[in-house]
Amino acid sequence: MRPYERLKAMLEGKQIDRPGAALWKHISLVDRDPVEFVNHTIRLQESNDWDFVKLGYNGFYFVEGWGAQLKWPRTEVEANNMYNSPPYLKYVIDDPCEWDSFKPISVKTGPLAREIEATKRIVDHFKGDVPVLPTIFSPLTSAQEMTGSYVRPHMIMAQLRYHPERVHKALGIITEVTLEFIEELIKAGVDGIFFATQFTLADLISPAAHSEFGRAYDLAVLNALKGRTWFNMVHLHGTGELMFDEIKDYPVQAFNWEDRRTSLSLKKAREKTDKILIGGIEQVEDFLQPDRAVLKERMRGRVRDVLEQTSDNKVIIAPGCTVPSHVPESSFSVLKEAVEEFGY
């Protein structure tokens, strides 16, 4: 079966040949160069034949469009540290009062236009064979990146408490631009989106705050996809105690999270939802094994464990989050080799 056919059958509850498999990684040295980004993405997919392509845009593309300034990596070392210590030179919002003058940006120019053009080229290459999913950040996640990034979440959390009206106004604007961006991506022919939220951790946000500032705007985005895309997934970012019950009814077809590093196992998630579960692989340590035979046995163990936890065919073996730049791409093919040994 080809990826398109396999995922369609999985969603329809039909028989498939094997579990799904996918992987995505940071490519920080080329992700702001449309030509290099497209070529690298296509090359990575064709070398591994994953069941979908998750477009690994520069992780700061959205706030870049609003004027955030960053020191972009020029070496492998800088690229490897890009997401451990985001190199912001200037945030979009340094003071909550600045939300008062916050305005929408155009998706026709700048970084958003860059990503739209790259998406068109990748969709044209894989259309009808491999589903393509662009990365879309939840509105609250984008607001966090504008104020202090994910390494300083207390900045946006304080604003939720002390400046709720300002934040609501900003979230409305961010949602508006997010929807305009998605509209252009749908025109480009994407099959769905990879919707990433960093606000489902119990030690970060309360259920009440999530409902007011997270869920309401998440659903505004996701509900707009109904009947227009067919394979949408939510990525719950972070490690710790996940508030899965707060998002399990989101109108998507799949969920992805760091099941190896959070409170929620695949088995527990399967008890809560019948949607496709994507995970089973720890995105860093699982691949850092120079001996290919040892690596393959490790992957066999991971696949076996996932199938025992889920006991169905609605699963895609994949990392719980983006694989870092420093993990060698030569190790990726072992995952699919292991998955192909476990037919249904």
Side-chain angles (χ1 to χ4, degrees), residues 49 76 80 119 130 140 180 189 222 264:
D49 199 26
E76 290 287 351
N80 292 342
T119 301
V130 186
L140 186 54
E180 290 177 2
L222 296 173
L264 185 69

Side-chain angles (χ1 to χ4, degrees), residues 284-335:
V284 182
E285 298 301 326
D286 276 1
F287 288 103
L288 294 181
Q289 171 52 252
D291 187 315
R292 193 173 180 85
V294 174
L295 176 60
K296 189 165 184 177
E297 187 55 39
R298 177 183 294 171
M299 289 298 153
R300 287 191 185 106
R302 289 302 201 194
V303 175
R304 188 179 298 110
D305 178 63
V306 168
L307 298 182
E308 289 175 353
Q309 287 193 63
T310 55
S311 301
D312 59 37
N313 67 357
K314 297 183 73 173
V315 62
I316 297 174
I317 315 296
C321 195
T322 306
V323 176
S325 297
H326 70 276
V327 176
E329 294 181 7
S330 59
S331 65
F332 294 167
S333 61
V334 177
L335 170 58

Side-chain angles (χ1 to χ4, degrees), residues 111-123:
L112 300 188
R114 176 188 70 212
E115 309 304 0
I116 292 167
E117 181 56 34
T119 301
K120 288 178 181 177
R121 297 179 187 179
I122 294 169
V123 168

Side-chain angles (χ1 to χ4, degrees), residues 38-52:
V38 169
N39 291 341
H40 195 114
T41 301
I42 290 174
R43 183 168 62 251
L44 188 61
Q45 171 61 25
E46 293 188 338
S47 297
N48 296 280
D49 199 26
W50 305 124
D51 284 308
F52 62 84

